[in-house]
Amino acid sequence: MNDLIIKQGTLINGDIIDIVINDGRITAIGPSAATGLASIREIDLHGHYHVSAGWIDAHTHCNPQSPLYFDEPDLIGASSGVTTVVDAGSTGADDIDHFYTVARKAKTHVYAFLNIARTGICRQNELADMAQIDNERLQNAVRRHKGFIIGLKARMSKSVIGDNRLLPLIKAKIMQRANGLPLMVHIGNPPPNLEDIADLLTKGDIITHCFNGKPNRILDDAGNLKQAIQRALARGVILDVGHGTESLSFSVAEQAIKFGAHPHMISSDIYQRNRVGGPVYSLATVMTKFLNMGLSPEYILNCVTINAANLLHLPRKGRLERGYDGDITIFELKNQRIKLVDAEGQIRIGTQQFIPIAAIIAGVHIVVAENAAAKNMSAENIPTQNAATGRSRVNGISL
């Protein structure tokens, strides 16, 4: 008997499919894949809701014990329709062991970019003291947590590095060569200048906060894409949104997209303060902002599924295919007006939005998104069948 069958989910292209999950993996998928099969649980969407591979948020801060930027993995993850979250440098070599223990208790899949500072972000200027960069301790941490640590993180803005300019990034590139992991680089206020940062990056490195409106923005004074960014993109450097409290400008993003500088990954840089008080709120909200900046629903979904999985080297994630992990996001793509605000207070009025309904993780954990519960959706909306007890009414859609 299979663990879970999802019937009549609608893909973003309009196709209606069944998905069969067993032992944490997708075992069958297609228009009639569930015909004649039995399962412990069954969800029939009746074609009313969209399904995609589970959403991946490539930049979060989800270590509950982090002193500056913190949150609970399941609040920013499964409860928001996100099946996989990546903590972007909250922890360093000194505290990654504890974070690993915390992360393993979450329903949401959790991974980490390891901060090149051994302390992680325990204070705002973690890279102002070069003694905080300890290559031996970092490499030992990477070896201990292979598969959990999926990259390195360097925050390269004046408030973080003090007077060290490019030295932390130069050190990070040396450390990276020893383990081959992707390097995510935070850009903020100079120094160092973005051009100098970009020229040091190589294929697979990630520029996060790529559409910030600060002096280190990716556009020059004339509004054109900086030459250094063009060269970096040609080398295979990745653009990641990393919305955050201060790092998404509608005007910068809109202009960059006009030049073809589309984000490769759409991420939130979410933590408790900007989740509760905005302007981030959720990954779905960030996705909605790009939907209303002209990117197609298909492109946006790719940014939080297959692109993120490929660029972060997450095996068996990001696709609705046989043999891939049974991570599914159920959502609506709803036509309705919505007020959208960027990190600079600019306002756009959107006409369509992503609304997560539920996250299914490894075919086992089924977590209803907070906004779906707020809509008081019932079992008639998303009915579920239990093989032992038969169809039962649930509170909201707590499946």
Side-chain angles (χ1 to χ4, degrees), residues 85-124:
V85 298
V86 182
D87 184 275
S90 301
T91 56
D94 286 358
D95 53 353
I96 190 66
D97 295 344
H98 178 71
F99 179 47
Y100 176 80
T101 300
V102 171
R104 294 284 71 80
K105 296 176 182 177
K107 293 182 176 69
T108 309
H109 299 298
V110 181
Y111 298 91
F113 278 95
L114 187 67
N115 199 307
I116 64 168
R118 56 184 288 183
T119 58
I121 310 176
C122 67
R123 61 177 189 264
Q124 193 61 259

Side-chain angles (χ1 to χ4, degrees), residues 373-396:
K375 291 166 67 177
N376 196 29
M377 302 180 73
S378 69
E380 284 77 17
N381 296 102
I382 300 186
T384 180
Q385 175 86 29
N386 184 290
T389 63
R391 190 173 300 280
S392 61
R393 186 171 183 81
V394 292
N395 181 19

Side-chain angles (χ1 to χ4, degrees), residues 113 152 169 172-173 176-177 180-185 197-208 232-233 235-240 264-265 311-313:
F113 278 95
L152 306 182
L169 182 56
K173 291 299 292 180
Q176 179 194 34
R177 294 188 197 111
L181 294 175
L183 173 65
M184 176 180 277
V185 179
I197 293 171
D199 283 341
L200 286 175
L201 303 182
T202 54
K203 182 178 180 179
D205 288 344
I206 301 163
I207 294 175
T208 193
L233 293 175
R235 292 195 303 274
V237 172
I238 307 306
L239 295 182
D240 172 56
H264 300 94
M265 298 190 297
L311 296 171
L312 301 178
H313 308 290

